[in-house]
Amino acid sequence: MLKQAFFLFVAAPLFCAPMGFDELCDVALRNSPQVVEALADAKAFAYEKEYALSMEPLSLEFATRKISTDESKNGLESSVTLGFSSKTPWVRDAEKKSFESKEKTFHLYEELQKTTLKSAVKKEYLLYLLAKEEEESFLGRAKSAKEALELAKKKFEAGRVSKIELTSFEAD
């Protein structure tokens, strides 16, 4: 357990490299359940479309049956049937147009999911940048306050600042 904790402590900085907005969006798009579901639905629909618009396979059926003749002889009769079906051109064209419109709907939904996720990531990224800038501002302000306090202490020792003013600098 101690080895694992030590490894995590040492290796964590290697995995926590900073990433830009585009990299963050790529990671979010790859791991978003909504986007993955939209992509899977589109892919499944493409297979459904391919199946529906493909030609029906030829069917070959073999059959045998017992027959008896007038002379009381029994025998076997064999038959082979070759079958196929086809759709009329206007039916195939209507199906194709229907599938193409549904396919556009799937692509629009996929793009909507990506855009929604990207805008959410952008919002969070901008909030992160704002918090980072605010932190830098507070750190700068704290540094300035410490410098002013040190200067006020020196002035207090020299007798140029009163105890009340020094206390004010300490409070800041």
Side-chain angles (χ1 to χ4, degrees):
M1 183 68 180
L2 186 60
K3 287 181 182 180
Q4 291 172 342
F6 179 73
F7 175 74
L8 287 175
F9 179 72
V10 172
L14 298 174
F15 297 112
C16 297
M19 63 172 67
F21 176 69
D22 291 333
E23 295 162 335
L24 185 63
C25 282
D26 289 341
V27 170
L29 288 173
R30 279 195 309 267
N31 296 314
S32 169
Q34 293 86 5
V35 173
V36 170
E37 181 183 4
L39 288 170
D41 287 345
K43 193 171 187 178
F45 183 75
Y47 287 128
E48 184 181 332
K49 174 186 171 186
E50 186 178 324
Y51 170 75
L53 295 178
S54 65
M55 296 294 290
E56 293 290 325
L58 294 175
S59 63
L60 194 58
E61 296 177 18
F62 297 98
T64 58
R65 64 182 179 138
K66 286 185 179 183
I67 58 168
S68 57
T69 59
D70 291 337
E71 296 104 23
S72 296
K73 293 183 181 177
N74 292 331
L76 292 176
E77 179 181 72
S78 300
S79 64
V80 176
T81 306
L82 176 65
F84 68 95
S85 64
S86 65
K87 297 177 184 174
T88 57
W90 52 88
V91 171
R92 285 185 55 80
D93 190 45
E95 279 184 339
K96 188 175 181 179
K97 286 179 182 177
S98 171
F99 277 110
E100 286 172 355
S101 69
K102 286 180 185 176
E103 200 169 35
K104 285 180 185 176
T105 304
F106 275 109
H107 287 297
L108 289 173
Y109 179 71
E110 178 186 333
E111 288 303 314
L112 173 70
Q113 290 298 328
K114 286 180 179 180
T115 304
T116 304
L117 181 66
K118 201 169 191 174
S119 67
V121 168
K122 189 172 194 173
K123 176 188 171 196
E124 294 301 321
Y125 187 75
L126 290 174
L127 287 173
Y128 160 74
L129 290 178
L130 183 64
K132 191 174 177 182
E133 189 175 311
E134 192 175 48
E135 177 189 19
E136 289 173 5
S137 173
F138 284 135
L139 289 175
R141 186 173 164 193
K143 183 180 175 186
S144 296
K146 284 180 184 178
E147 289 172 356
L149 176 63
E150 293 301 318
L151 185 61
K153 283 181 181 178
K154 289 179 184 176
K155 286 182 179 181
F156 177 73
E157 290 171 5
R160 299 189 63 201
V161 173
S162 68
K163 181 71 174 169
I164 294 173
E165 291 173 322
L166 181 62
T167 307
S168 173
F169 280 106
E170 287 174 346
D172 283 347

